[in-house]
Amino acid sequence: MTGDWIFLTCLWIVSAVIILAGFWPVSQERLARWSARFDVRLSAETASWVRSRLRWARSVRWVAFAVGVNLSALPMYMNVIDESRAGSFSNPLTSSSVFLAPTIGALVAELLIVQRPTGERSAVLIRRRSQDY
């Protein structure tokens, strides 16, 4: 029982760090990579709009990941609360929530939050890396 509490405490601490890190500001380098990826020249006002959208999209993705990890640990939560009911929460949906929640979070972030601004397009001659995508 003590091991379950230690695991849950570590899980909550890691989840809090992941959620807080998702709200960290978007760097100028990340903004430049986004601009190069979509071939959009960013003005000062557009850059602040894109930066806030990217930040919210990242936070939605990371919160969804933390929710998925915590949902997958639901049988362990129940093992701490009531050992006789812990098996009831061990099902395929709970075990696959670690994959489903981040996928849904990524879809929501891409479809509802991140929207490519229309404006002057520009060709940029820079070497693209795998991290840009």
Side-chain angles (χ1 to χ4, degrees):
M1 190 73 139
T2 305
D4 291 339
W5 277 109
I6 292 171
F7 174 78
L8 289 176
T9 304
C10 292
L11 179 65
W12 292 333
I13 290 170
V14 169
S15 296
V17 167
I18 288 172
I19 289 170
L20 291 175
F23 288 100
W24 203 258
V26 175
S27 67
Q28 188 64 32
E29 177 188 348
R30 176 75 177 121
L31 195 62
R33 281 193 285 162
W34 186 89
S35 175
R37 177 181 177 192
F38 290 109
D39 295 328
V40 175
R41 184 177 301 164
L42 297 175
S43 64
E45 59 198 34
T46 309
S48 66
W49 181 80
V50 169
R51 182 175 278 139
S52 70
R53 292 295 215 165
L54 290 176
R55 187 173 138 237
W56 279 108
R58 182 182 58 199
S59 65
V60 165
R61 284 187 208 98
W62 289 17
V63 166
F65 174 74
V67 166
V69 169
N70 281 290
L71 281 177
S72 68
L74 192 59
M76 186 167 291
Y77 291 133
M78 287 310 296
N79 193 28
V80 170
I81 297 170
D82 185 10
E83 291 181 26
S84 63
R85 293 181 49 204
S88 303
F89 289 91
S90 181
N91 56 43
L93 185 61
T94 306
S95 62
S96 63
S97 66
V98 73
F99 303 110
L100 290 175
T103 303
I104 292 170
L107 284 173
V108 166
E110 290 298 322
L111 295 176
L112 299 179
I113 298 174
V114 177
Q115 299 167 356
R116 191 172 117 181
T118 58
E120 185 178 344
R121 297 182 65 112
S122 65
V124 179
L125 298 174
I126 62 171
R127 185 172 157 255
R128 294 188 181 183
R129 303 173 311 230
S130 60
Q131 295 93 344
D132 295 339
Y133 303 97

